[in-house]
Amino acid sequence: MLKGRESVVRLVGKRRRFLPNRETLLSASDDLELELELVTCPVCALKISAQHHAINAHLDICLSESETPTGTKRRKLSQRTLLDSNFFSKSKIHQSQLTNNDDFCGSRHSNSHSHIINNDVVVDAPKAKAAAAAAADVDVTMENVSGVTLQTFIVGRRFFSHENELHVGANISLLPDPHNVKDPNAIKVLSADSGSCKCKVLGFLPRELAQYLSPLMEKYCLSFEGYVTSVPKNPFDFVPIMIVCHKMILHGEKEYEDVEAFKCLWKYAIHVVESAKNCPPGITKYQQNFCLVIHEVIRSNPHLFTDDEKKFMESFTSLSNDSQRLFVRLYTRKGPWFRISTISYSEVLDPQEAVKGLSAMGYICLFEDKDKLHDNDIKEILNLLTVSELHDILCKLKKNCNHGRRKSDLLESLLPSFVDGLCPHLTSLVLDKTGACFRISSKAESLIWRAERLFFLNGEQNLSTFLLVDLGIVKYPTYDCIISEQIFPGQDDLLAYEEAIEVAQLMDEALDGNNVELVLRCIKIADSRISSSSMKTMESTTSELVATFYSSFSASWVYSKVVLLGVSFLERERRYNDAINLLKRLLNCFTCDGRRGYWTLRLSINLEHTGYPNESLTVAEDGLQDPWVRAGSRMALQRRILRLGKPPRRWKTPSFSASIKRKITEVHVQGRPLNCEMGMKNRFYGEDGEQCGVEQLALQYYAGEGGGWQGVHTESGIWLTIFGLLMWDIIFSNVPNVFRTRFQTAPLDMETDSFYLARKSCIESHLQKIHDGMGEEILITSWESHVGTACRGVNWDRHSLTELRAAVTCIGGPCLASLCRHLAQDYRSWSSGMPDLLLWRFHGEYRGEAKLVEVKGPRDRLSEQQRAWLLLLMDCGFNTEVCKVSPVSMSA
């Protein structure tokens, strides 16, 4: 796979069925740089792009600087002056249009206000007290909650066996179920009308409410009874109920802290009940999740949608339950076309009416008339036909209808007839078979995609993430989200970001289809759109710390990924000069980026490929002066300088020469090879006669004659797990703006310099505890408190607590603290390339030693990242070595 391809795939996520800018991007002029309209800045007189976001970005920089690029003092401009300035060469924007938008001079940030979001509840910070007061009409005391009525519903109706078990007015009671395997806070809803001694279980309270009522019932002896308010027709719907807190028994005097805890639990319970009123009782879980995404995105980002877009998305809740459920089901399917006759979901009672409702509101495009279809539509609709239906059409057209052919072959036979216009009746024949067809409208597709991206902030998560949580497959950590700044200041920024992701998807599709022309087109588009001003704006309009991770949500950052993938493609095609130009553009535009090391290395290598060794050496030397060139890339550049910088090019030996030429201990192990073919992973016979890889063979050697070591083959896995467990409280501490959704496994700044800088005092204090020997205690506590909870780098299944404790104990506090510090300071650079084996052995019960080993088979060499790690570990005091496995010679 090309370098950068996997990153682009993760960025794009699930490919969109409809790309709003596809035709524009593909039909634009080839000379993209000349295509961009330029205007004159009224402040500095420089030529800039005429796009809205480019003008805003440039003015932010201009107005923040006191002098022009020529050294003259800037004249002061008022807001009026800026509004009257003619930025556009074709038509002047009226002042009334501008005044309705955000101000140019940074005022787009002035209206943003803080939000505090915990992992379940979203609260506006400035309105937190008001929301808390609204949650209860009066100040909560332990005496005045008796008699309070709560409206909620029953979930889990699978327990019903007869319809007469449930009717309007049926009496119910609640019973905590602490032994419930899935949820220890579960509360059963029992039928109080049952004549038998044993009450029948009707279902459960919603989990969101039970987590607060359960401790109230058990610790504070609250009791609830109630009745069924209505019975839904659909057996999958929730059952609305009314419950009353009618009894409370106090045993002695409660401590003040208990009273405060009681108030907190009660207010949260009321908040959940009030929030649930926005979701109809008949709503299914996935339907509720979908509505939650729409509601939260509009609430948190109203400035990113037009009034028409907000009205359209808010109209979703006015649709019938059947229409809502059908839309969510179809949105998560591949599509793009669907046959009404084949729509069948148990929870959608009337699919025909559901389709009509969605069509009336513009969520789907319904086609029953062949005259309304385009050529591309018919090509896609052909895929809806079954093999037998395709056979019938081919037979009617008197074509070869061999029943043994595959669907792809049948489609290949039909398409030429349609494309060449040889069969004008083909469209009628196809629609006769399919019946009425429909697809999700482009407007709905685009807006819901945008809502998903704003909600999850990545392309790897989508609505299925809710399902993983609901099923208990994934458990996300608990943290507070303190939001004081918007990721996208305005809609122009978001639209530019969306268009950049479209280009990334086109690039990915082109590589899949081996469409070289489209690949080059995407490279050219991305290259022309990268602008250094956008990155400078990101650094100037936000604080120094957040800029480094906010930049990943900019269009320029996305285009840089496309360009880097383009560099790999051009290098594969041996178009080194084109690759050199792209790398220079990246280095010029992104001055503060952790990827600069790789870009500099590739530029130096490509210059050497094209016969410019002097320039290659100069690039490598300049790269070592760049603070963003680190780890393996820095090591590779140093080794290039030593190789290229020999007399007569350079007479002086670099100061780092002795450091990188340090001797790394080597151990040689021989084994009986199973295969030693080029391009294949080496396999050997182990000491037990079983087949194994070189790492397992090395483990057997170290366990025996190598010194009686225990250990694991882990590479980076065990180290990232240890780091995550030891630093858990630091990773999920309360830092503004780094947690923005309830589905994060790490803060947004985890792989940036700001992670360490924003938490420096806390990190150093914590590392001191690890240095002083408290690592094992912290590890155990973290494991027991968070086992099974998702955290970046932590693998709960691969390593046992026993192995981790042994490793932490034998490594020792000083080495462990030093390792964690490097990961905290630069997680991105140091989270890969660690040695293959972690070995340990005890000297007594509480003391031991550890060794890290990189294993290499025949013809394998250390990568620069691996070499950098080994030298770093040596500096930290670790015992490291390289184990080289070679086949037993035939003469032996």
Side-chain angles (χ1 to χ4, degrees):
M1 181 179 286
L2 291 174
K3 175 71 174 181
R5 178 78 186 276
E6 185 178 351
S7 179
V8 168
V9 170
R10 288 200 307 269
L11 172 68
V12 172
K14 181 182 177 181
R15 288 180 181 172
R16 300 172 66 180
R17 290 171 285 206
F18 170 76
L19 296 180
N21 300 294
R22 181 189 290 268
E23 292 186 9
T24 304
L25 291 170
L26 298 183
S27 62
S29 169
D30 286 336
D31 194 354
L32 292 168
E33 300 220 13
L34 295 178
E35 179 189 6
L36 295 175
E37 183 182 358
L38 299 179
V39 295
T40 302
C41 172
V43 181
C44 65
L46 291 178
K47 295 289 185 180
I48 58 176
S49 170
Q51 296 179 344
H52 289 185
H53 64 277
I55 293 176
N56 287 350
H58 182 79
L59 281 173
D60 283 342
I61 298 172
C62 274
L63 297 176
S64 65
E65 297 177 358
S66 60
E67 293 185 351
T68 66
T70 58
T72 59
K73 196 168 184 177
R74 296 194 189 281
R75 65 188 180 95
K76 291 186 178 180
L77 295 180
S78 65
Q79 184 68 20
R80 174 82 181 184
T81 310
L82 291 175
L83 293 176
D84 289 340
S85 298
N86 184 8
F87 290 100
F88 293 86
S89 58
K90 292 184 179 179
S91 61
K92 185 173 182 177
I93 294 183
H94 295 291
Q95 180 176 339
S96 60
Q97 290 176 281
L98 288 173
T99 53
N100 289 330
N101 297 326
D102 295 329
D103 294 338
F104 281 122
C105 305
S107 64
R108 59 186 124 172
H109 297 291
S110 61
N111 293 328
S112 63
H113 55 275
S114 299
H115 300 78
I116 299 177
I117 312 172
N118 66 23
N119 225 11
D120 298 300
V121 184
V122 181
V123 184
D124 286 351
K127 302 178 182 178
K129 293 184 178 179
D137 294 333
V138 295
D139 185 30
V140 178
T141 69
M142 299 182 69
E143 287 77 25
N144 64 6
V145 297
S146 183
V148 173
T149 301
L150 304 178
Q151 181 180 340
T152 182
F153 41 87
I154 305 174
V155 299
R157 291 178 63 190
R158 60 183 181 276
F159 297 99
F160 299 164
S161 57
H162 302 287
E163 292 183 4
N164 58 6
E165 290 181 359
L166 194 68
H167 57 86
V168 176
N171 293 319
I172 58 172
S173 61
L174 304 185
L175 178 67
D177 185 15
H179 302 295
N180 189 293
V181 177
K182 292 186 177 180
D183 182 12
N185 288 321
I187 298 178
K188 296 178 182 178
V189 180
L190 307 178
S191 171
D193 293 335
S194 177
S196 61
C197 298
K198 186 176 180 180
C199 295
K200 293 184 178 179
V201 178
L202 301 179
F204 292 85
L205 281 190
R207 179 178 297 183
E208 295 80 6
L209 179 59
Q211 65 178 322
Y212 302 118
L213 289 191
S214 180
L216 285 170
M217 294 176 71
E218 293 186 0
K219 187 174 181 181
Y220 300 97
C221 304
L222 294 191
S223 176
F224 293 87
E225 292 184 354
Y227 56 92
V228 176
T229 58
S230 65
V231 180
K233 295 180 181 180
N234 193 331
F236 293 93
D237 286 348
F238 300 157
V239 181
I241 59 174
M242 194 73 72
I243 58 175
V244 181
C245 177
H246 72 97
K247 184 177 62 173
M248 182 174 63
I249 303 174
L250 296 179
H251 299 285
E253 292 296 324
K254 295 288 183 180
E255 295 292 333
Y256 177 79
E257 289 78 12
D258 284 342
V259 174
E260 291 303 308
F262 171 85
K263 289 182 179 181
C264 184
L265 288 170
W266 181 259
K267 288 188 177 183
Y268 272 128
I270 297 296
H271 178 78
V272 171
V273 170
E274 293 298 318
S275 299
K277 291 180 180 179
N278 297 325
C279 300
I283 195 169
T284 58
K285 192 65 177 176
Y286 67 80
Q287 185 183 353
Q288 179 182 353
N289 294 336
F290 189 86
C291 292
L292 173 66
V293 170
I294 293 177
H295 172 75
E296 280 304 309
V297 166
I298 294 178
R299 185 196 66 80
S300 303
N301 306 278
H303 63 297
L304 299 180
F305 297 89
T306 64
D307 291 339
D308 178 64
E309 290 170 342
K310 284 185 281 190
K311 184 177 179 181
F312 179 81
M313 294 176 68
E314 289 168 347
S315 70
F316 184 81
T317 56
S318 65
L319 294 168
S320 67
N321 278 336
D322 277 354
S323 292
Q324 290 185 29
R325 293 167 185 165
L326 180 60
F327 182 82
V328 179
R329 285 284 197 175
L330 298 178
Y331 180 77
T332 55
R333 284 177 55 179
K334 182 179 179 181
W337 285 92
F338 305 95
R339 300 166 67 167
I340 293 181
S341 59
T342 60
I343 296 297
S344 177
Y345 296 106
S346 57
E347 70 272 27
V348 180
L349 301 181
D350 192 340
Q352 301 281 349
E353 287 299 317
V355 169
K356 290 180 181 178
L358 289 170
S359 178
M361 297 297 288
Y363 280 87
I364 64 171
C365 297
L366 179 61
F367 293 95
E368 299 175 291
D369 186 353
K370 66 178 182 178
D371 296 330
K372 296 182 180 180
L373 294 172
H374 300 292
D375 291 348
N376 287 335
D377 295 333
I378 293 298
K379 295 177 184 178
E380 293 174 340
I381 290 175
L382 278 172
N383 283 302
L384 298 177
L385 297 173
T386 64
V387 171
S388 60
E389 290 170 336
L390 289 169
H391 276 302
D392 291 343
I393 292 177
L394 283 170
C395 291
K396 289 180 180 180
L397 296 176
K398 297 181 180 180
K399 289 181 174 288
N400 182 12
C401 47
N402 182 357
H403 289 276
R405 298 169 71 182
R406 296 172 299 179
K407 183 175 181 178
S408 58
D409 296 328
L410 297 174
L411 288 172
E412 200 172 311
S413 299
L414 272 176
L415 281 175
S417 300
F418 175 76
V419 173
D420 299 335
L422 300 177
C423 181
H425 304 296
L426 180 59
T427 301
S428 298
L429 292 174
V430 171
L431 291 181
D432 287 343
K433 292 290 184 182
T434 62
C437 300
F438 65 93
R439 60 173 172 80
I440 294 177
S441 68
S442 58
K443 183 177 183 179
E445 179 93 21
S446 297
L447 289 177
I448 300 305
W449 180 89
R450 181 187 300 174
E452 270 192 311
R453 184 58 64 121
L454 289 172
F455 187 84
F456 294 106
L457 295 177
N458 61 70
E460 298 178 86
Q461 292 177 311
N462 49 41
L463 292 170
S464 63
T465 306
F466 284 101
L467 180 62
L468 297 176
V469 174
D470 294 337
L471 295 177
I473 297 174
V474 178
K475 179 183 177 183
Y476 286 92
T478 301
Y479 44 75
D480 291 335
C481 296
I482 306 171
I483 302 175
S484 61
E485 297 187 46
Q486 294 287 353
I487 288 182
F488 299 101
Q491 192 178 43
D492 284 342
D493 303 274
L494 176 61
L495 293 178
Y497 177 72
E498 289 183 5
E499 186 177 75
I501 293 180
E502 289 186 47
V503 175
Q505 178 173 327
L506 289 172
M507 180 74 163
D508 188 38
E509 292 174 352
L511 288 171
D512 271 352
N514 199 25
N515 187 340
V516 176
E517 182 180 354
L518 182 54
V519 169
L520 296 177
R521 174 71 184 167
C522 291
I523 294 172
K524 201 166 187 178
I525 292 172
D527 182 30
S528 67
R529 302 286 172 86
I530 288 179
S531 166
S532 60
S533 65
S534 63
M535 296 304 297
K536 291 177 181 176
T537 302
M538 187 64 67
E539 295 169 6
S540 63
T541 58
T542 57
S543 66
E544 181 180 351
L545 290 181
V546 298
T548 54
F549 67 89
Y550 271 22
S551 62
S552 62
F553 297 101
S554 67
S556 296
W557 185 82
V558 178
Y559 286 129
S560 72
K561 284 183 169 289
V562 177
V563 169
L564 178 58
L565 180 55
V567 168
S568 300
F569 173 81
L570 293 172
E571 288 176 342
R572 189 183 70 181
E573 300 295 313
R574 300 184 184 278
R575 296 175 58 169
Y576 297 116
N577 287 323
D578 292 332
I580 287 171
N581 292 332
L582 292 179
L583 289 166
K584 288 181 178 179
R585 176 68 64 90
L586 289 173
L587 288 167
N588 288 334
C589 292
F590 299 87
T591 56
C592 301
D593 197 297
R595 299 168 293 175
R596 288 180 60 83
Y598 179 78
W599 299 341
T600 303
L601 177 61
R602 294 312 309 174
L603 177 59
S604 178
I605 292 173
N606 289 334
L607 284 169
E608 187 179 9
H609 282 322
T610 53
Y612 296 97
N614 291 326
E615 290 81 352
S616 174
L617 176 58
T618 301
V619 166
E621 290 172 334
D622 291 342
L624 293 188
Q625 308 303 316
D626 190 338
W628 293 94
V629 176
R630 304 165 180 173
S633 297
R634 189 172 191 82
M635 176 70 65
L637 289 176
Q638 289 175 333
R639 290 166 62 83
R640 287 187 64 77
I641 291 172
L642 291 180
R643 181 173 61 82
L644 295 174
K646 296 176 180 178
R649 291 197 187 101
R650 300 290 186 273
W651 294 94
K652 185 178 179 180
T653 303
S655 59
F656 54 77
S657 176
S659 176
I660 68 169
K661 287 183 176 181
R662 280 179 291 171
K663 181 74 173 177
I664 301 175
T665 305
E666 291 185 1
V667 173
H668 295 269
V669 176
Q670 290 189 326
R672 292 187 298 135
L674 176 65
N675 71 300
C676 285
E677 299 179 22
M678 290 290 292
M680 294 185 64
K681 186 173 177 64
N682 295 300
R683 302 287 294 175
F684 288 83
Y685 290 104
E687 296 180 1
D688 55 1
E690 298 292 329
Q691 297 180 18
C692 64
V694 290
E695 295 85 4
Q696 286 72 31
L697 188 64
L699 281 174
Q700 293 176 9
Y701 163 78
Y702 283 107
E705 62 181 287
W709 296 87
Q710 301 178 60
V712 290
H713 170 214
T714 175
E715 298 180 4
S716 301
I718 195 169
W719 296 109
L720 299 185
T721 297
I722 290 174
F723 175 80
L725 291 174
L726 291 178
M727 307 292 287
W728 191 286
D729 291 341
I730 302 295
I731 292 172
F732 298 105
S733 59
N734 293 337
V735 175
N737 299 307
V738 298
F739 291 108
R740 309 184 77 99
T741 81
R742 54 180 289 201
F743 301 107
Q744 290 180 228
T745 59
L748 292 177
D749 64 347
M750 180 79 162
E751 296 188 1
T752 69
D753 289 7
S754 66
F755 177 81
Y756 177 80
L757 296 175
R759 307 163 179 82
K760 185 174 181 179
S761 59
C762 296
I763 289 176
E764 289 301 328
S765 175
H766 195 69
L767 292 178
Q768 187 61 48
K769 295 178 183 178
I770 296 173
H771 182 279
D772 294 341
M774 295 180 62
E776 185 180 6
E777 180 182 342
I778 296 173
L779 180 83
I780 296 172
T781 302
S782 184
W783 177 283
E784 293 176 347
S785 301
H786 309 294
V787 62
T789 303
C791 173
R792 183 174 302 173
V794 176
N795 190 325
W796 297 101
D797 300 323
R798 186 170 182 180
H799 306 290
S800 67
L801 178 58
T802 302
E803 289 178 341
L804 297 174
R805 288 181 62 183
V808 167
T809 300
C810 293
I811 291 170
C815 290
L816 198 58
S818 180
L819 179 73
C820 289
R821 180 176 290 104
H822 277 87
L823 285 172
Q825 290 175 337
D826 193 358
Y827 192 90
R828 175 189 176 91
S829 297
W830 294 110
S831 58
S832 63
M834 300 181 184
D836 294 310
L837 307 183
L838 171 58
L839 308 173
W840 64 83
R841 60 185 177 190
F842 282 94
H843 304 302
E845 190 173 354
Y846 301 107
R847 290 177 57 253
E849 61 177 322
K851 177 184 290 190
L852 285 79
V853 181
E854 182 65 43
V855 183
K856 290 297 172 188
R859 298 181 302 275
D860 286 345
R861 296 187 307 170
L862 287 174
S863 70
E864 302 300 345
Q865 180 73 3
Q866 290 168 343
R867 187 180 298 276
W869 252 119
L870 289 170
L871 295 179
L872 173 67
L873 291 169
M874 290 168 60
D875 292 337
C876 293
F878 283 87
N879 180 7
T880 63
E881 63 187 33
V882 176
C883 177
K884 294 189 174 181
V885 178
S886 58
V888 178
S889 61
M890 297 302 294
S891 59

